[in-house]
Amino acid sequence: MRARPDRALWFDQPFPDGLRLRAARGLYALALFLMPACLIATPWGLTPAACCTLAAVLLAPDRLWAARRAAGWPVLGMLLVALCVVGVVSFSVLVHQDTWSEAGTRGRVLVIPLASLLVLGLSPPRAALWSGAVIGLIGACVVALVQTLHGLDRADGWNNAITFGDMAVLLLVLVVFLRPSGRFVLTVVATAAGLVAIGLSGTRGAWPAAALVVAIALFARGSGGGAHRLEAWVLAVLALAAVAAVSPQVQQRVDSLQIDMLRYASGDSDTSAGARLQLMGLAGDELEADPWVGVGVGRFERVLAAAPACQVAVPDAWCQLGHAHSDFPEWGATMGIPGLVALALLYGVPAWLFLRRLNVRPFPRRSRSAALAGLVVVVSFVLCGLSQSMWAHQLSGGTYLTLVGILLGFSLREDPRKA
């Protein structure tokens, strides 16, 4: 499909040479660096990047408005998905007469089209995002090693161990798939650091996602020429070395899972794995009992309060949790079938958009890597969300929304044909 003339003109013209717009572009480039760099390696999370992004928006709102024409139907589609999610969340809040604070990160989905417009309108360097991810993974590895050496069983940074491990996986995606030419050594070092951080976090739900990232990277490099195959072998060897370095911690978590399952089979659900199974079962029961409105967005504790197992004198520890420890059961129990549909759209539409850009022929290499990174971000987030309520934490939900918007913007900007 050929680009419309106004879109082609937008991508062909140089960035305006004005101080205000240059400052906005510089601030957003800094935001792209700080977002992954500070995510889990510092206690500040997304705050520095959010401040820089806000300043960039305030400096150049006209540039973002003008970029809407270049954005085309992919960004419009994500805007419609965002409005759908906002509608479902708002309906739940109104029906249950809850406070709007309960909507949490679920109501911030408009970040996706905004991030895409920022990339299209301000044309920041993609290397800023990759460089920040490298710094972020190396920093996360240092934090994990320091915490482990000081006797902490599971590295958690300034969050919790599960969020720490899951966010390290998303940074790993950026490092592996957005690598600039000639940065192979840094990529390998950061990848090894990321795998060590994930292993030391003890987050079992992140391991399949991390394995998928490495497997796709090896396949992508191994299917290329001789130099690419050599890179794949080096990456594979160092990935195995990184896993071997944290094998005691990994084995400990595997043994713990086996013990949990044996205890659950004997009727004891007060374990990590047993709690997840119980919570998913309660979420399924609630969806069956109230399939259209659920108990209210962000109010899964209502399900727990009504559960007979949590009404005894000394309930199990999982009765104190405020979420279902899994995304789809959580959204189904709290917002019913509309919630499940909204979550499926929030994952499915970006995945389809990224996959569609991968299948266009001919396709610019840089745009292909941005689309592949976006697709793997979505799949990794879904995998991590099978054993953790990713949307119960602002850091994880906000990171997903931001990265999907940014990578969609890069995949569109770097394919001027807009097919």
Side-chain angles (χ1 to χ4, degrees):
M1 182 183 298
R2 297 180 61 87
R4 279 185 4 199
D6 55 344
R7 294 183 190 172
L9 180 62
W10 175 271
F11 288 107
D12 290 339
Q13 63 186 354
F15 191 80
D17 192 21
L19 179 61
R20 176 178 62 88
L21 293 182
R22 292 287 178 180
R25 185 186 190 186
L27 281 169
Y28 192 57
L30 180 60
L32 290 187
F33 174 81
L34 292 176
M35 193 274 286
C38 297
L39 187 65
I40 54 176
T42 73
W44 307 312
L46 294 170
T47 302
C51 292
C52 292
T53 300
L54 178 61
V57 171
L58 293 177
L59 275 174
D62 54 327
R63 185 70 181 175
L64 269 64
W65 179 251
R68 76 191 190 282
R69 293 185 177 276
W73 66 265
V75 176
L76 177 60
M78 285 312 308
L79 175 61
L80 295 177
V81 169
L83 293 175
C84 175
V85 175
V86 169
V88 171
V89 171
S90 301
F91 176 76
S92 179
V93 171
L94 294 173
V95 166
H96 294 281
Q97 298 181 349
D98 290 325
T99 60
W100 288 101
S101 61
E102 300 298 339
T105 53
R106 303 161 186 84
R108 299 190 181 114
V109 289
L110 291 171
V111 167
I112 295 179
L114 175 61
S116 297
L117 289 177
L118 280 163
V119 171
L120 293 170
L122 299 180
S123 301
R126 199 178 75 171
L129 186 64
W130 180 83
S131 302
V134 169
I135 297 299
L137 277 186
I138 294 175
C141 180
V142 172
V143 169
L145 288 171
V146 170
Q147 290 185 330
T148 303
L149 291 175
H150 280 77
L152 198 64
D153 290 336
R154 300 174 61 186
D156 57 8
W158 290 267
N159 304 284
N160 62 67
I162 298 177
T163 301
F164 183 84
D166 291 341
M167 294 303 97
V169 172
L170 298 189
L171 296 185
L172 187 64
V173 175
L174 301 181
V175 165
V176 169
F177 296 106
L178 297 184
R179 175 176 72 89
S181 300
R183 296 292 185 270
F184 179 68
V185 174
L186 270 179
T187 299
V188 169
V189 170
T191 299
L195 292 175
V196 170
I198 294 167
L200 293 179
S201 74
T203 306
R204 293 178 297 227
W207 295 347
L212 177 69
V213 173
V214 174
I216 294 176
L218 292 176
F219 176 79
R221 306 308 292 178
S223 60
H228 287 174
R229 282 194 293 270
L230 178 60
E231 291 179 358
W233 277 107
V234 173
L235 182 61
V237 170
L238 290 181
L240 289 175
V243 172
V246 295
S247 58
Q249 289 80 3
V250 172
Q251 185 60 49
Q252 181 182 8
R253 293 295 291 161
V254 172
D255 294 341
S256 175
L257 177 60
Q258 293 174 341
I259 294 172
D260 288 357
M261 297 309 297
L262 290 174
R263 289 176 59 181
Y264 185 77
S266 64
D268 181 7
S269 63
D270 197 16
T271 63
S272 177
R276 284 172 167 82
L277 294 173
Q278 285 289 99
L279 292 168
M280 291 179 191
L282 290 173
D285 294 340
E286 176 59 33
L287 178 61
E288 183 178 355
D290 197 353
W292 295 111
V293 295
V295 295
V297 58
R299 299 306 300 268
F300 189 77
E301 69 272 12
R302 291 171 177 166
V303 176
L304 299 176
C310 297
Q311 295 177 347
V312 297
V314 185
D316 291 338
W318 54 265
C319 290
Q320 305 303 317
L321 293 173
H323 53 77
H325 244 303
S326 185
D327 281 334
F328 277 99
E330 165 96 10
W331 284 54
T334 56
M335 291 178 281
I337 293 175
L340 291 176
V341 172
L343 186 60
L345 290 174
L346 195 52
Y347 292 153
V349 172
W352 176 74
L353 289 174
F354 289 127
L355 187 61
R356 184 180 185 277
R357 310 209 68 72
L358 283 173
N359 291 331
V360 173
R361 297 289 192 275
F363 205 82
R365 182 182 62 82
R366 285 176 58 83
S367 186
R368 181 185 297 280
S369 64
L372 182 57
L375 178 61
V376 179
V377 161
V378 175
V379 175
S380 299
F381 197 83
V382 172
L383 286 176
C384 291
L386 295 178
S387 59
Q388 167 69 350
S389 289
M390 306 293 283
W391 298 96
H393 304 279
Q394 293 188 12
L395 188 69
S396 52
T399 301
Y400 172 80
L401 297 173
T402 304
L403 286 181
V404 166
I406 289 171
L407 293 172
L408 179 60
F410 276 124
S411 70
L412 295 173
R413 195 190 80 182
E414 292 164 356
D415 180 12
R417 294 173 299 102
K418 299 286 290 159

